[in-house]
Amino acid sequence: MEIKLFCPGTIANLSCGFDVMGTCLDTIGDEMIIRKSNRRGIRITKIDGADLPLEAERNVAGVAGLALLEKLEIDFGFEIEIYKKIKAGSGIGSSSASAAGAVFGINALAGNPFTRKELVQFAMQGEVLASGSAHADNVAPALLGGFTLVRAYNPLDIVRIESPADLFATVIHPQIELKTSEMRAVLQPMVSLKSAIAQWGNVGGLVAGLYTSDYALIGRSLHDEIVEPLRGKFIPHFEDLKKSALENGALGCGISGSGPSVFALSQGIETAQKVAAAMRNIFEYTDIAFEIHVSRINSEGVKIM
């Protein structure tokens, strides 16, 4: 009758993989309680930790859940409680955590008629509300865990990639808000052939490095020719953060999602923690509040608590 979930944060784009690559975090996430109701439809009864709409049609969890309900042949509805730990506009998948958790929990209480991969298409509808774009680079890893590659959107074709065992993420979240829709607006509709070729090579290198646990190749591939140059200037001290992370052993460093969070991937927990300390040093002497997280890659995705 009721299910309690951990709805994980995610890192999207991963430098070179704009709108097609993402990974799932294990220590950053929301919590959600979903219970069956005799009344059809979806009612969001509580949101703790954020000022978000309770109306299902105006909430990403509600919109994603309603998209799934259209395909379910059931005579009951659902109530949802959301406990937000990921701030909206953080760049670590706040909207996707809500959307993924809602469809996972509703599907589970309905007897699991859809696979995790099939649930991605419904969770994407929540992303449309949040950013105006039906992208899957956050909701796919949130549901599937590990790393994901969205090979195509029409039809949706998602490849899950297991994370190398010793790969860790460090994420710093400056407490400013950059709306995804606004950060998409700064992008250029056309890119040069030279930049496109470099980006294709990096995406291929990153996928190959993940499959073969070639940490050096992963590091060489975490480079963005197209998006980072346009978005980096909106993130306070971005270049300093990146330089410091690399100097302290990170494989690579870039913008998490649309920012303002900045991520680094490292081989080993010790290096990831060293990178976290270096990032902290950059922000300690500013007037900008911030949070830092170190996380193993979450291989499961949304979890039943």
Side-chain angles (χ1 to χ4, degrees):
M1 293 297 295
E2 180 176 294
I3 193 167
K4 185 175 183 181
L5 304 171
F6 172 74
C7 311
T10 48
I11 300 169
N13 301 337
L14 295 170
S15 295
C16 56
F18 178 71
D19 270 10
V20 297
M21 291 201 71
T23 192
C24 189
L25 300 170
D26 204 37
T27 60
I28 312 168
D30 296 340
E31 294 179 8
M32 185 177 287
I33 296 173
I34 304 178
R35 63 180 62 89
K36 289 182 181 180
S37 168
N38 290 329
R39 290 175 56 191
R40 295 184 182 227
I42 293 176
R43 280 162 303 285
I44 300 174
T45 59
K46 182 177 182 179
I47 299 176
D48 182 76
D51 183 17
L52 297 170
L54 288 171
E55 298 89 348
E57 296 79 6
R58 297 176 56 221
N59 185 290
V60 294
V63 168
L66 289 170
L68 174 57
L69 278 190
E70 290 181 4
K71 301 294 183 180
L72 294 177
E73 296 181 0
I74 54 176
D75 59 359
F76 54 90
F78 301 90
E79 295 179 352
I80 301 177
E81 296 179 12
I82 304 172
Y83 298 85
K84 294 297 293 181
K85 308 291 180 66
I86 309 173
K87 290 181 173 61
S90 63
I92 44 180
S94 177
S95 60
S96 62
S98 294
V103 297
F104 178 90
I106 290 171
N107 187 63
L109 292 175
N112 288 308
F114 293 97
T115 66
R116 284 183 182 246
K117 187 174 288 189
E118 289 169 338
L119 290 175
V120 172
Q121 60 186 315
F122 305 113
M124 286 171 62
Q125 299 310 307
E127 295 287 62
V128 174
L129 178 65
S131 67
S133 171
H135 54 96
D137 50 340
N138 284 108
V139 292
L143 282 163
L144 302 178
F147 286 79
T148 55
L149 167 69
V150 184
R151 191 206 63 81
Y153 276 93
N154 189 24
L156 190 62
D157 186 1
I158 297 170
V159 181
R160 185 189 180 280
I161 305 167
E162 193 65 56
S163 173
D166 207 26
L167 196 62
F168 286 80
T170 304
V171 181
I172 183 167
H173 172 212
Q175 303 286 293
I176 63 172
E177 183 176 353
L178 296 180
K179 293 184 178 180
T180 302
S181 55
E182 294 175 356
M183 287 300 97
R184 293 185 83 86
V186 306
L187 303 180
Q188 300 295 326
M190 304 292 287
V191 299
S192 71
L193 182 60
K194 180 181 178 182
S195 295
I197 291 170
Q199 201 86 332
W200 295 332
N202 284 326
V203 172
L206 179 55
V207 171
L210 293 171
Y211 268 113
T212 59
S213 295
D214 186 333
Y215 293 94
L217 178 56
I218 292 170
R220 296 198 302 274
S221 303
L222 288 171
H223 178 71
D224 183 4
E225 286 276 333
I226 296 171
V227 178
E228 186 178 293
L230 299 172
R231 287 180 170 174
K233 59 189 176 184
F234 293 95
I235 300 173
H237 308 289
F238 172 68
E239 292 299 335
D240 292 335
L241 286 170
K242 187 171 182 178
K243 181 174 182 287
S244 179
L246 296 174
E247 288 178 347
N248 283 275
L251 299 171
C253 179
I255 302 170
S256 180
S258 57
S261 290
V262 174
F263 81 93
L265 295 183
S266 300
Q267 182 178 4
I269 182 68
E270 295 84 3
T271 301
Q273 290 172 338
K274 185 179 178 183
V275 169
M279 287 180 161
R280 184 177 291 108
N281 286 338
I282 300 293
F283 267 82
E284 270 186 342
Y285 303 104
T286 72
D287 58 358
I288 302 172
F290 64 95
E291 296 176 345
I292 293 184
H293 308 274
V294 175
S295 177
R296 183 182 296 277
I297 305 301
N298 176 348
S299 63
E300 185 179 349
V302 178
K303 300 178 184 181
I304 299 173
M305 298 179 69

